[in-house]
Amino acid sequence: MSKPLERYQKLGLKESLPRIHRYPLACKELSLILRGAYKKIPKNLQSLIFQDTLTAFRLLPEMQTRNAVLAAHLLLQSVEAALPKQKKNAAVTEYKNAMVAHKRRTKARQEENVSGSTQLPQDVLVHIFSFLDMQSLVSVGLVCWLWNIAASENNLWQAQYTTFFGNSDNDAMIKGRQISRLVEDEEGYTLFWREAFKRAYLGSSSKKLKSSRGYCRDCNTIVWLNNMKCSNEHTGLNSENQKIKPVLPSQVVGYLLDDSLPLASSSDSDSDSDGGPFSRLWAYQRPLSKTQ
């Protein structure tokens, strides 16, 4: 059985914090670890978790989404509840400085947008976004209105639907709804496949679809998932044959403490999935025109 320090390092939280689409969940896992495991782990691991918490706060000014700010605030609440006084004061100071820097950068970005900064053509953005996985596609759609329109492009979400739920051309249910379920925004962009993906994703009973984490039996640890597959490279192993067990943030604490990984209940799945990055996909959705 591996030691808690080794298991924590394999979680890769420090490496995930700089990535905008993983930052919120990494902060949530740190928050849960602080509340549920900090006082039960060795001092060397406590020190490492404290340093990763400071890193999370220092990276906050680089994040551009409200989801990241909420995740950092959740981490702050766990800091105040779990850390001893000296470390708590240091972390709270780091958070306050990070929030000041974040507000300044947000204001600077807004002023830059008003001044008319150069933007990539829409078709170029769509082509770039076609290389993204689902979570990254969700994240770029939160950056600004222009990126949200590009990230809502029909073909992008048809490809995502095919990746998650199979061949979209052969789905009789989707075919039957192609006329009745069309939704268009005021600019005339068809949002059918994004809506279809949303319905299928939220209606799915598979926890694997609702998780950014999974236990890979080939890696023998909890890993990040990219489109339901282990993000690590497996030499000589077909990605379709990977053995992945979906993991919720609340299960990370038990895994860290005693290397256990109990099955998640449906209620846990609901509560964790509600706060995930996918739930904010429609944060910038344009209102429907009055004629519709």
Side-chain angles (χ1 to χ4, degrees):
M1 180 182 293
S2 58
K3 296 181 179 180
L5 176 61
E6 181 182 349
R7 292 196 292 273
Y8 178 81
Q9 290 173 330
K10 287 183 177 180
L11 289 176
L13 293 178
K14 183 178 180 180
E15 295 77 15
S16 301
L17 285 169
R19 303 185 181 186
I20 186 172
H21 64 290
R22 289 182 179 170
Y23 179 89
L25 184 55
C27 283
K28 183 174 183 178
E29 289 185 3
L30 273 174
S31 175
L32 291 170
I33 289 171
L34 283 173
R35 286 182 179 270
Y38 184 81
K39 296 179 180 179
K40 305 175 184 178
I41 54 180
K43 289 187 178 295
N44 60 343
L45 182 50
Q46 287 182 348
S47 178
L48 183 57
I49 291 173
F50 174 67
Q51 291 301 321
D52 286 349
T53 300
L54 295 182
T55 299
F57 290 150
R58 289 167 185 160
L59 288 171
L60 179 58
E62 305 292 334
M63 304 299 153
Q64 301 182 27
T65 66
R66 177 168 173 77
N67 205 19
V69 175
L70 293 174
H73 186 261
L74 178 67
L75 181 57
L76 174 68
Q77 292 176 327
S78 293
V79 163
E80 294 174 331
L83 291 184
K85 184 176 180 180
Q86 186 174 0
K87 289 185 176 180
K88 176 174 67 175
N89 291 340
V92 169
T93 300
E94 198 70 53
Y95 171 81
K96 290 180 179 179
N97 293 337
M99 283 301 300
V100 171
H102 182 273
K103 291 177 181 178
R104 288 175 179 172
R105 293 197 182 191
T106 300
K107 184 178 179 180
R109 292 189 192 105
Q110 291 172 346
E111 292 175 350
E112 182 181 352
N113 291 335
V114 171
S115 65
S117 58
T118 303
Q119 297 282 3
L120 291 174
Q122 196 76 2
D123 58 338
V124 175
L125 283 175
V126 171
H127 177 70
I128 295 173
F129 293 170
S130 68
F131 295 98
L132 301 179
D133 60 22
M134 185 271 287
Q135 290 182 337
S136 301
L137 187 60
V138 170
S139 295
V140 299
L142 298 174
V143 173
C144 63
W145 282 111
L146 182 65
W147 284 30
N148 179 260
I149 293 173
S152 302
E153 210 278 335
N154 216 22
N155 291 335
L156 296 179
W157 286 102
Q158 183 175 9
Q160 292 293 334
Y161 188 97
T162 301
T163 299
F164 277 75
F165 305 109
N167 190 347
S168 59
D169 293 332
N170 296 330
D171 195 320
M173 180 181 68
I174 292 299
K175 277 187 175 183
R177 294 181 177 178
Q178 281 184 346
I179 297 177
S180 60
R181 294 297 186 185
L182 281 178
V183 180
E184 295 185 357
D185 65 18
E186 60 187 3
E187 300 294 331
Y189 288 91
T190 301
L191 305 180
F192 169 74
W193 282 108
R194 190 177 71 169
E195 292 297 321
F197 187 97
K198 175 186 176 182
R199 294 173 187 276
Y201 183 93
L202 298 179
S204 173
S205 60
S206 174
K207 296 182 183 68
K208 192 173 182 179
L209 297 179
K210 294 178 169 62
S211 179
S212 300
R213 287 289 216 171
Y215 184 86
C216 177
R217 290 180 176 86
D218 299 297
C219 297
N220 195 30
T221 188
I222 293 177
V223 298
W224 292 99
L225 301 181
N226 288 333
N227 284 345
M228 302 180 295
K229 298 181 179 63
C230 176
S231 58
N232 299 329
E233 294 184 3
H234 295 277
T235 305
L237 180 65
N238 189 331
S239 61
E240 298 297 330
N241 296 325
Q242 290 180 7
K243 298 177 180 178
I244 301 294
K245 177 181 180 180
V247 173
L248 301 175
S250 56
Q251 294 177 283
V252 172
V253 175
Y255 169 78
L256 180 63
L257 288 175
D258 55 17
D259 204 12
S260 66
L261 203 61
L263 291 174
S265 65
S266 58
S267 59
D268 289 339
S269 176
D270 293 339
S271 60
D272 282 307
S273 62
D274 289 343
F278 191 84
S279 65
R280 296 187 177 273
L281 175 60
W282 297 271
Y284 289 125
Q285 184 176 353
R286 288 182 175 274
L288 297 178
S289 61
K290 294 181 179 179
T291 57
Q292 291 178 314

